[in-house]
């Protein structure tokens, strides 16, 4: 039993001794390994950070060799005197780790010196106690003791630095280690076969062309968001890398000797291309951020001086160009209502700076007559928007004279202020439709009123209000502008009814030739009363029709008809006197006289309509002829511009020829120098200059030939204009003939390769003078223009406008025609004594102002033909001539 108890702890003793020896070995080995491992970690840190790549290539091998020597020296110092732990050292470690005293492991190995039984028994007891004490032997953890050698924990900092460097290097870590371990000795310049191409493509919204980078480096400014593309081919070495600031990225391999890289430029940085440790090229890039566009009103928006349009002077700018400009209108009374957006046309596609005056006519908009806020909104190609300050104004509205039209516009305006206020609008529409005489019993107007009322009642969509407003506007326009057509239909109906009544009365009178009975006499009186009522209806219809015609003439600002004896028959007082005679003949039971008066009245009305139609036809012919003349004058102005362009081209050719002559003179002076004063490479330079001179002369001859063809085409076009204007006006201005002769001389000079500037200047002057004489001849022959082109309202006032229906005042007037200074409808003409043009804001310029305007235009054309003036002044003159 005792032997078994002793065998158990002794059986595990050899394994514990091996573990103790391993622990002692690690405690001795690790302090010896730390110095070389520390130097190796420092080398790896330097390599991962890419610091060797910043050194010259010839210095990198020395750096690697220095680290190798440092590692070897640290290893020699650490492993010097290192020994393998023995068994006795292992026992001492086990005893110390287990806390045993008196070395029990040594007691197990000892033997007594004698054979005394008592001594042996005592020794065996001692062994049993020693064996019992070693049952819980412990090896313990190794304690290298680096903390004593590295009290500030440099090993921990080195480990953290290595981890951070590895993360920063990323996928480039193996390549950086390879370059640090295997440095390549190379030169600092790129091999001759190396080819580098780099360019920057600006964003599409800028419209700018790609920018090519100089391989020698430099600095440049590019738009934000540009795309950098680099292509590298040839040379020797590994794959290049693109370095943007502190970030580096490898190129993409296209084949064995070609690489490409791309990058987006969002901020300014230094761009470098590195290969095998040397810098191939470098640039300093400045990124220009895209600024939002700006828009503003150059003047306060207001109503145009004439007409119903608005005047919106605007100016907009953007660093890369505008793509859209709009004006947003918002109703002040209802800010939550959707804005009305009005697009403004830009003078050219994507201008960087533009200004102009927009004149929209919003008199037909439901907000007309209400206060609105207007704001400009500009947008560039990048989608950025710029807004102007808000301006407040009242939209112009059209003035209506028809009572029903005025009521409809009031309903329309009320719905704009409050779309939910439908009941008041329905009640007003019911009131208007219940009084059909207010709109001449027009069926279309009645149906429009009832349809609008029904839609407001049954259609609960928000869009229904806008549709009703559109119907009301069209109905009001029809009532205002189409009154003459309605009154003409009402007049025709009244004439037909009166004629039927007179025929009925005449038949009854012929059938009842004998003495009438009281019943027949009563029927005759009733028939005469009916006829008298029809006569009064005809008189009212005639009066309304004449008023409608007068309103139409006033709206069209029509000219007075030429006075002739027939116009006297269309005097309003004559018409009313004839209806009075018809009524008198009816009361005296003379239906034949009343019928004759009706026939004469119909003839007068027919003459009125035919006279107006003839005048309209004459005005239309005059307008067409005037338009043809204006088109021909526009062609002459275009010829002036084209001829001016050819003159500019001639100036450029003359300057180029003068420069070539100056170069030849200098070359001749150089040729006359002494041989020792001549440059060594004079012959190649002379050959190159002669080749360039020959190419320039060839291009000049080709350009002269092209301009000769253009000059011939201009001359042919001038001949066609002269022929057409002669057919139109009967006379061709003499300056046009002189311009044709000058063009012929310029054509011949260009065909011979000579100087055509003098005849071209003559042609420009004569064309300008011919255009001025064409304008004067058109003015004398066809007048200033259509009456309605500049005026807005009619002129004059109606005679008898305040007369009553009974015609008493008309009966008191002189019955001898309409008198001097009256038009066929009784209005005062401009030639009438004391007449005033109170109904129109159009002022026709007098002769002095016209002469002054022509002189200004002539002076502008004269200065525009002097091509030696500054380009800014010539552009300004050209804009003035195009506009005015």
């Amino acid at each position: 039993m005792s032997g078994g108890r002793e065998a158990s702890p002794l059986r595990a003793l050899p394994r514990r001794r091996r573990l103790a020896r391993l622990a002692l070995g690690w405690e001795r080995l690790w302090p010896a390994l730390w110095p070389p491992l520390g130097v190796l970690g420092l080398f790896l840190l330097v390599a991962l950070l890419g610091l060797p790549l910043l050194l010259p290539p010839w210095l990198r091998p020395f750096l690697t060799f220095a680290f190798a020597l440092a590692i070897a020296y640290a290893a020699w110092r650490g492993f010097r005197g290192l020994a393998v732990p023995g068994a006795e050292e292992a026992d001492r470690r086990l005893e110390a780790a287990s806390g045993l005293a008196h070395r029990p492991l040594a007691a197990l190995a000892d033997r007594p010196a004698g054979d005394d039984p008592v001594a042996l028994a005592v020794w065996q007891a001692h062994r049993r106690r020693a064996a019992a004490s070693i049952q819980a032997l412990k090896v313990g953890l190794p304690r290298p003791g680096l903390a004593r050698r590295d009290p500030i924990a440099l090993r921990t900092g080195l480990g953290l630095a290595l981890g951070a460097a590895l993360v920063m290097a990323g996928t480039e870590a193996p390549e950086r280690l390879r370059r640090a371990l295997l440095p390549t000795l190379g030169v600092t310049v790129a091999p001759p076969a190396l080819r580098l191409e780099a360019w920057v493509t600006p964003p599409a919204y800028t419209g700018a062309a790609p920018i090519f980078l100089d391989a020698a480096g430099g600095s440049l400014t590019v738009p934000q968001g540009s795309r950098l593309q680099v292509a590298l081919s040839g040379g020797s070495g590994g794959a290049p890398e693109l370095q943007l600031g502190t970030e580096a990225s490898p190129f993409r391999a296209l084949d064995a000797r070609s690489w490409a890289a791309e990058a987006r430029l969002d901020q300014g940085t230094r761009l470098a291309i590195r290969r095998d440790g040397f810098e191939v090229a470098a640039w300093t890039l400045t990124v220009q951020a895209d600024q939002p566009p700006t828009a503003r009103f150059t003047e306060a928006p207001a109503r145009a001086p004439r007409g119903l349009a608005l005047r919106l002077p605007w100016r907009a700018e953007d660093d890369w160009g505008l793509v859209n400009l709009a004006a947003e209108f918002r109703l002040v009374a209802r800010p939550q209502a959707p804005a009305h957006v009005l697009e403004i046309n830009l003078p050219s596609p994507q201008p960087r700076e533009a200004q102009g005056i927009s004149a929209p006519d919003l008199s037909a908009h439901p907000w007309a007559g209400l206060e609105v806020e207007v704001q400009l909104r500009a947008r560039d190609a990048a989608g950025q928007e710029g807004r102007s300050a808000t301006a407040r104004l009242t939209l112009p509205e059209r003035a209506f004279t028809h009572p029903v039209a005025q009521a409809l516009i009031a309903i329309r305006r009320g719905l704009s202020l409050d779309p939910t206020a439908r009941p008041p609008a329905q009640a007003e529409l019911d009131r208007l439709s219940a009084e059909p005489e207010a709109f001449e019993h027009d069926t279309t107007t009645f149906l429009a009123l009832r349809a609008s009322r029904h839609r407001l009642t049954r259609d609960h969509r928000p869009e229904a209000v806008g549709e009703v407003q559109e119907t009301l506007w069209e109905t009001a326009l029809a009532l205002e502008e189409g009154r003459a057509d309605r009154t003409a239909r009402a007049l025709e109906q009244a004439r037909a009814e009166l004629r039927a009544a007179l025929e009925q009365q005449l038949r009854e009178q012929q059938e009842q030739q004998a003495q009438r009975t009281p019943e027949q006499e009563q029927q005759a009186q009733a028939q005469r009363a009916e006829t008298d009522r029809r006569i009064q209806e005809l008189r009212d219809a005639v009066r309304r029709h004449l008023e409608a015609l007068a309103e139409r003439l006033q709206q069209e600002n029509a000219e007075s008809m030429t006075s002739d004896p027939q116009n006297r028959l269309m005097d309003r007082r004559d018409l009313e006197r004839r209806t009075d005679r018809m009524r008198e003949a009816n009361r005296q039971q003379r239906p034949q006289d009343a019928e004759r008066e009706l026939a004469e009245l119909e003839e007068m009305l027919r003459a009125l309509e035919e006279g107006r139609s003839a005048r309209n036809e004459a005005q239309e012919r005059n307008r067409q002829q005037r338009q043809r003349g204006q088109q021909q004058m526009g062609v002459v102005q275009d010829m002036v511009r084209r001829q001016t362009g050819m003159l500019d081209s001639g100036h450029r050719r003359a300057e180029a020829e003068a420069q070539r002559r100056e170069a030849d003179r200098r070359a001749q002076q150089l040729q006359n120098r002494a041989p020792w004063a001549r440059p060594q490479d004079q012959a190649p330079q002379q050959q190159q200059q002669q080749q360039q001179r020959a190419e320039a002369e060839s291009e000049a001859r080709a350009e002269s030939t092209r301009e000769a063809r253009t000059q011939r085409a201009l001359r042919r076009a001038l001949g066609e204009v002269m022929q057409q204007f002669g057919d139109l006006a009967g006379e061709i201005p003499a300056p046009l003939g002189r311009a044709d002769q000058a063009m012929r001389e310029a054509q011949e000079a260009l065909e011979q390769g000579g100087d055509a500037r003098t005849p071209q200047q003559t042609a420009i002057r004569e064309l300008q003078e011919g255009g001025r004489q064409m304008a004067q001849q058109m003015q004398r022959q066809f007048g200033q223009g259509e009456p309605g082109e500049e005026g807005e309202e009619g002129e004059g006032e109606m005679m008898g406008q305040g007369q009553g229906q009974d015609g008493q005042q008309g009966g008191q007037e002189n019955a001898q025609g309409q008198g001097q200074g009256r038009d066929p409808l009784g209005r005062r003409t401009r030639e009438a004594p004391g007449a005033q043009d109170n109904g129109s804001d159009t002022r026709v310029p007098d002769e002095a102002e016209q002469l002054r305007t022509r002189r200004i235009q002539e002076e502008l054309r004269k200065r525009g033909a002097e091509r030696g003036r500054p380009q800014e002044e010539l552009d300004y003159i050209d804009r003035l001539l195009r506009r005015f």
Side-chain angles (χ1 to χ4, degrees):
M1 294 294 293
S2 62
R5 285 191 301 266
E6 288 182 5
S8 178
L10 294 178
R11 188 181 300 116
L13 182 60
R15 182 173 62 85
R16 299 294 178 88
R17 285 176 174 171
R18 286 193 299 271
L19 292 176
R21 295 181 67 183
L22 289 176
L24 289 173
W26 176 250
E27 290 177 354
R28 296 178 181 180
L29 180 62
W30 178 238
L33 286 175
W34 164 240
L37 289 179
V39 178
L40 179 63
L42 182 61
F43 173 76
L44 293 178
L45 177 62
V46 171
L48 291 176
L49 292 177
L51 298 180
L53 301 179
L54 301 178
L55 300 176
W58 61 269
L59 189 58
R60 296 177 200 167
F62 294 99
L63 178 65
T64 306
F65 184 70
F67 271 104
L69 288 180
I71 293 174
Y73 177 74
W76 175 76
R77 287 290 303 272
F79 287 95
R80 185 181 59 180
L82 185 65
V84 178
E88 185 177 355
E89 293 175 341
D91 290 344
R92 301 291 80 78
R93 177 180 178 84
L94 290 174
E95 292 171 349
S98 301
L100 300 177
H102 308 296
R103 296 186 177 183
L105 294 178
L108 294 176
D110 291 341
R111 292 289 184 274
D115 296 331
D116 185 6
V118 176
L120 290 176
V122 173
W123 179 251
Q124 290 297 330
H126 175 66
R127 281 175 58 88
R128 284 193 297 270
R129 286 194 301 270
S133 64
I134 65 173
Q135 290 182 355
L137 285 176
K138 298 178 181 179
V139 177
L141 295 176
R143 297 182 181 89
L146 286 180
R148 293 190 303 272
R149 298 188 179 185
D150 184 18
I152 59 176
L154 289 177
R155 60 191 184 282
T156 304
L158 180 61
L160 293 176
L162 281 174
L166 186 62
V167 173
M168 292 175 60
T171 57
E172 297 182 8
E175 180 65 20
R176 294 187 179 184
L177 292 176
R178 184 189 68 81
R179 293 185 180 183
L181 292 173
L182 302 174
T184 302
L185 293 176
V187 294
T188 59
V189 295
L194 186 66
R195 181 178 179 182
L196 172 65
E197 294 181 358
W199 65 94
V200 176
T201 304
Y205 68 83
T206 62
I211 304 173
F212 288 89
L213 305 183
D214 188 1
S219 60
L220 70 157
T221 302
V222 297
Q224 186 178 20
S226 299
R227 196 72 183 174
L228 170 68
Q229 293 179 305
V230 183
L232 186 67
S233 61
S236 60
E241 64 178 5
L242 180 66
Q243 185 173 0
L244 285 174
T246 58
E247 298 181 0
S249 59
F251 275 59
R252 183 180 71 257
L254 301 178
D255 53 34
R257 302 180 62 86
S258 300
W259 296 268
E262 295 183 3
R264 179 183 172 91
L265 303 177
D266 291 324
Q267 59 184 359
T269 183
R270 184 178 186 273
L271 168 65
I273 300 175
R274 304 182 64 87
R275 185 179 187 184
D276 294 335
F278 65 86
E279 194 173 82
V280 178
W283 301 272
T284 301
L285 301 181
T286 302
V287 174
Q288 179 182 359
D290 185 18
Q291 302 296 327
T294 60
R296 61 184 176 90
F297 291 109
T298 56
E299 298 177 14
R303 179 173 177 173
R306 298 177 182 177
L308 299 175
L310 289 175
R311 189 174 186 274
L312 304 177
W314 55 268
R315 181 181 181 87
E317 300 175 359
D318 186 66
D319 49 1
W320 292 111
L322 301 161
V323 298
N324 179 265
L325 181 65
E328 289 187 355
F329 295 85
R330 293 190 179 275
L331 189 61
V332 175
R334 283 199 306 126
Q336 72 279 5
H340 175 68
V341 180
L342 183 67
E343 299 291 337
I344 297 178
N345 294 328
L346 295 172
S348 61
Q350 264 188 283
R352 296 193 177 187
E353 179 179 350
Q355 65 178 358
I357 299 177
S358 179
D361 186 355
L362 298 179
S363 58
H365 196 271
W367 296 348
L370 299 177
E371 192 175 20
V372 298
E373 289 182 345
V374 59
Q375 186 182 38
L376 293 176
R377 183 194 66 194
R379 189 173 74 252
D380 59 9
Q384 301 181 103
E385 286 191 356
R387 293 179 176 268
S388 68
T390 302
R392 182 171 293 190
L393 73 158
T394 300
L395 292 182
E397 61 177 339
R398 176 172 178 168
F400 289 87
T401 58
H402 197 284
V404 179
Q406 293 176 351
L408 294 180
I409 295 301
I411 297 173
R412 184 170 177 257
R413 187 183 300 112
L415 290 176
S416 296
L417 293 174
D418 186 7
T420 61
R422 297 191 180 192
Q426 297 169 6
E428 184 66 14
L429 290 174
D430 289 338
R431 184 188 68 80
L432 294 176
S433 59
E435 300 175 357
E437 63 277 0
F439 47 86
E440 293 88 18
H441 295 274
D442 185 61
T443 305
T444 304
T445 303
F446 179 80
L447 292 177
L449 295 177
R450 299 312 299 169
S452 300
R453 199 269 183 195
H454 178 77
R455 176 163 290 184
L456 289 176
T457 305
R458 299 298 181 86
D459 195 345
H460 299 288
R461 295 179 301 118
E463 295 82 4
V465 174
E467 297 170 358
V468 169
Q469 287 179 318
E470 183 66 23
T471 303
L472 295 179
W473 172 256
E474 294 176 356
T475 305
L477 283 182
L479 288 171
E480 187 71 17
E481 299 177 353
R483 185 181 179 189
D485 298 332
R486 294 194 306 277
T487 55
R489 291 194 298 269
L491 176 60
E492 182 63 29
Q493 183 179 358
R495 287 159 56 184
E497 292 177 352
L498 177 57
R499 182 176 296 279
L502 290 175
E503 292 177 355
Q504 178 67 21
Q505 185 178 359
L506 183 59
R507 284 196 302 269
E508 292 179 358
Q509 187 176 3
Q510 291 175 356
E511 292 175 358
Q512 299 173 1
Q513 297 292 339
Q515 185 68 27
R516 299 179 181 177
T517 63
E519 292 79 6
Q520 293 176 344
E521 184 63 29
Q522 186 177 2
Q523 291 179 359
Q525 291 179 0
Q527 183 64 32
R528 287 194 299 273
E530 177 66 20
T531 303
D532 191 70
R533 187 178 66 83
R534 298 295 183 185
I535 293 174
Q536 182 62 35
E537 290 180 355
L538 176 63
R539 180 173 179 171
D540 295 340
V542 170
R543 178 180 56 80
R544 287 193 294 267
H545 185 56
L546 293 179
E547 291 176 354
L549 289 179
E551 290 178 2
R552 175 180 290 181
L553 290 174
Q554 185 179 9
Q555 293 171 359
E556 296 175 354
N557 197 16
E559 296 176 345
S560 300
M561 295 173 60
T562 306
S563 300
D564 58 56
Q566 294 182 356
N567 286 342
R568 182 180 59 83
L569 300 178
M570 291 180 285
D571 193 347
R572 175 176 173 179
R573 294 184 297 275
D574 256 356
L575 297 174
E576 292 183 349
R577 283 194 295 271
R578 289 190 179 277
T579 56
D580 291 339
R581 288 196 291 268
M582 290 171 59
R583 182 179 295 175
E584 184 65 23
N586 180 51
R587 283 198 289 266
Q588 295 177 5
Q589 299 184 7
R590 292 183 287 109
Q592 300 88 346
D593 295 343
E595 192 173 8
R596 184 173 59 256
E597 293 290 342
L598 177 60
E600 293 180 2
L601 178 61
E602 291 175 347
E603 185 65 25
M604 293 168 58
L605 293 173
R606 189 178 302 110
L608 174 64
E609 293 294 338
E610 291 176 356
R612 184 174 182 273
S613 300
R615 181 173 59 83
N616 291 340
E617 292 177 0
Q619 290 180 354
E620 181 64 22
R621 288 194 301 271
N622 193 8
R623 184 183 64 81
Q624 292 178 358
Q625 291 176 347
R626 186 164 49 252
Q627 288 180 352
R628 289 175 55 193
Q630 291 173 352
Q631 291 176 357
Q632 293 168 4
M633 288 187 290
V635 173
V636 173
Q637 294 177 358
D638 184 67
M639 288 183 182
V640 172
R641 287 193 294 269
R642 291 177 179 270
Q643 194 69 60
T644 304
M646 296 180 64
L647 180 61
D648 294 340
S649 179
H651 284 305
R652 289 193 295 270
R653 287 200 307 274
E655 292 176 358
E657 181 65 24
Q659 293 177 358
R660 287 197 298 271
R661 291 177 180 176
E662 179 66 19
D664 293 343
R665 185 182 63 81
R666 293 180 180 178
Q668 186 65 29
Q669 292 178 355
L670 187 63
Q671 182 69 24
N672 295 333
R673 289 183 181 180
W676 57 83
R678 298 176 186 174
Q680 299 296 327
D681 55 348
Q682 179 181 358
Q685 289 183 358
Q686 289 181 351
Q687 294 178 358
Q688 184 178 5
Q689 291 175 358
Q690 291 177 358
Q691 182 179 1
Q692 292 178 354
R693 184 162 51 251
E695 293 177 355
E697 292 177 354
S698 176
E699 293 179 358
R701 287 194 298 271
E703 185 177 0
S704 180
T705 303
R706 289 194 300 269
E707 290 192 357
R709 291 196 295 267
T710 304
Q711 188 69 69
R712 183 168 58 252
L714 284 177
R715 185 186 174 199
R716 188 182 301 112
L718 177 60
E720 295 178 357
V721 170
M722 294 168 61
Q723 180 180 358
Q724 294 175 2
F725 190 79
D727 296 340
L728 179 65
E731 182 181 358
I732 301 175
L736 294 183
R738 294 193 294 268
D740 179 76
Q741 177 66 21
M743 286 185 178
R744 184 179 65 82
E745 296 175 359
Q747 175 186 344
E748 292 176 354
L750 289 172
E751 290 176 350
Q752 296 174 3
D755 188 2
R757 290 181 291 174
T758 301
Q760 285 176 346
Q761 291 176 350
T762 304
I764 292 173
R765 289 196 301 269
E766 296 299 339
L767 284 174
Q768 292 173 347
E769 177 64 21
R772 186 184 66 82
Q773 294 188 12
M774 289 173 66
Q776 293 177 351
Q777 192 169 346
M778 290 288 295
Q779 181 180 355
R780 290 193 302 267
Q781 187 166 355
F782 302 112
Q784 291 287 342
E786 290 190 8
E789 289 179 355
E790 296 182 1
E792 300 172 14
E793 303 293 336
E795 60 181 0
E797 56 181 347
M798 290 291 296
M799 286 297 297
Q801 190 172 357
Q803 296 177 2
Q805 295 181 359
D806 54 359
Q808 294 177 359
Q809 184 176 353
Q812 297 173 0
E813 296 290 340
N814 184 9
Q816 300 299 325
Q818 33 185 106
Q820 184 180 4
R822 304 281 184 178
D823 66 1
L825 298 178
R827 303 181 305 165
R828 292 181 183 270
T829 63
R830 295 183 185 269
E831 294 77 10
Q836 295 180 355
D837 188 11
N838 297 327
S840 174
D841 60 354
T842 301
R843 186 178 67 85
V844 179
D846 54 18
E847 186 176 356
E849 292 182 351
Q850 296 176 9
L851 180 60
R852 179 170 173 267
T853 302
R854 287 196 297 270
R855 289 177 178 174
I856 293 175
Q857 292 179 348
E858 291 173 2
E859 182 64 24
L860 287 175
R861 294 191 180 98
K862 179 180 177 181
R863 295 187 181 185
E866 299 174 358
R867 310 314 295 178
R869 292 180 175 272
Q871 188 62 34
E872 293 80 4
E873 182 179 353
L874 294 176
D875 294 341
Y876 178 68
I877 294 175
D878 187 52
R879 289 197 300 270
L880 287 178
L881 291 175
R882 284 201 306 267
R883 185 169 184 180
F884 300 104

